[in-house]
Amino acid sequence: MRTIRVILKPSTSEEDITALAERHGWHFQEALGPTEQQPYEKIWIAPDNYTSIHYIEDFLLRIRYIIVTKDRPDEVVAQIQSGLDVYSRDEILGLVETADELNQRILALHRVAGAAPQEFDQAIFDCLQRAMNDPEMAIRRAAIFATTYAHWPEFQESLERLQDSDDDPSVRELARHVLESQRRHNWGRDDR
C-alpha cells in the first residue's frame, strides 16, 4: 500500500477540502482530535470504498497536509492537486533555498519533511543533508526531525555523525534519539 502526502498552501481552507470531497463523492468517516498526542484529522473514503483520504493539521511540523493511502493513489492525488492550492515538490525545495529568516527556514524544512515520499528521493535527501551541515543549530535540529518523516536508511551515516560529533549537545541527543527510533522501527518498513 502506498501513502502520499500532499502539502497544503496556507490559502487552502478546511472548507475548500470539504467542498472538494463533496465534488468527488468522498464519504466522510470521522473527525479526530486534536489532543496532546493526536493532531486534528478528518477522514474520508473515496467512492471505490478502498482509498482513504486524511486531512491533517500536524502540530509537530506546523503544517497541514492530506494523506492518500491506496495501492495506486494517483487518481485521488490528481484530484487534490487540481482542486486545491497545494505545493509541488519543486516549490517546497525552492522554499528552502529562498527562506532567509530562521523561522522561515525551519518551516521550509518542515514542509520538506511532510513532502518526503515513502520511496527514496535524491533531491529531498540532498536538501536535508545540506541542512544537517548548517552552522545554525536550529536548522540541524529541524533536519534531524525531518528524517522521522523521511524513513530512509540513507540518513543513518549523517545521523551517526551528528550523534557522535556535533558541537551542540541538544543536536547530539536528538540525533541519537531519532537514530534509535528509526532502527527500532526498521526505518519505517514496519509501518508499511
Side-chain angles (χ1 to χ4, degrees), residues 29-189:
Q29 298 298 296
E30 64 182 323
L32 305 168
T35 68
E36 286 186 24
Q37 302 298 317
Q38 158 115 27
Y40 176 68
E41 178 176 9
K42 282 179 89 169
I43 303 169
W44 292 267
I45 299 294
D48 65 6
N49 290 321
Y50 183 66
T51 306
S52 64
I53 303 118
H54 302 248
Y55 164 67
I56 297 177
E57 295 178 357
D58 189 320
F59 56 79
L60 296 174
L61 290 180
R62 299 175 313 168
I63 63 172
R64 298 173 309 123
Y65 48 82
I66 296 176
I67 294 177
V68 181
T69 303
K70 183 183 180 182
D71 289 335
R72 294 180 182 206
D74 301 327
E75 179 183 341
V76 174
V77 169
Q79 292 171 353
I80 294 166
Q81 290 171 333
S82 66
L84 298 173
D85 200 10
V86 301
Y87 287 105
S88 71
R89 173 184 159 274
D90 292 339
E91 281 180 297
I92 289 171
L93 291 171
L95 291 172
V96 174
E97 300 302 319
T98 59
D100 51 5
E101 293 179 18
L102 181 62
N103 285 336
Q104 289 176 337
R105 293 177 67 205
I106 291 170
L107 183 56
L109 287 170
H110 287 179
R111 288 183 174 126
V112 168
Q118 285 178 309
E119 15 345 277
F120 179 78
D121 182 298
Q122 188 68 52
I124 289 177
F125 176 79
D126 292 344
C127 173
L128 294 176
Q129 286 286 103
R130 284 189 301 276
M132 285 185 197
N133 292 309
D134 196 273
E136 176 59 57
M137 173 269 299
I139 298 299
R140 295 194 306 277
R141 286 180 55 84
I144 292 167
F145 184 68
T147 68
T148 66
Y149 285 74
H151 303 286
W152 305 327
E154 290 83 355
F155 284 119
Q156 181 170 333
E157 186 178 315
S158 295
L159 290 169
E160 287 172 345
R161 176 185 52 79
L162 290 167
Q163 166 193 262
D164 296 339
S165 61
D166 195 89
D167 294 338
D168 187 279
S170 72
V171 171
R172 289 193 306 270
E173 178 59 24
L174 181 60
R176 182 195 64 73
H177 176 74
V178 168
L179 189 56
E180 242 177 52
S181 177
Q182 291 285 32
R183 286 176 176 157
R184 188 172 48 252
H185 296 287
N186 195 20
W187 294 93
R189 301 315 182 257

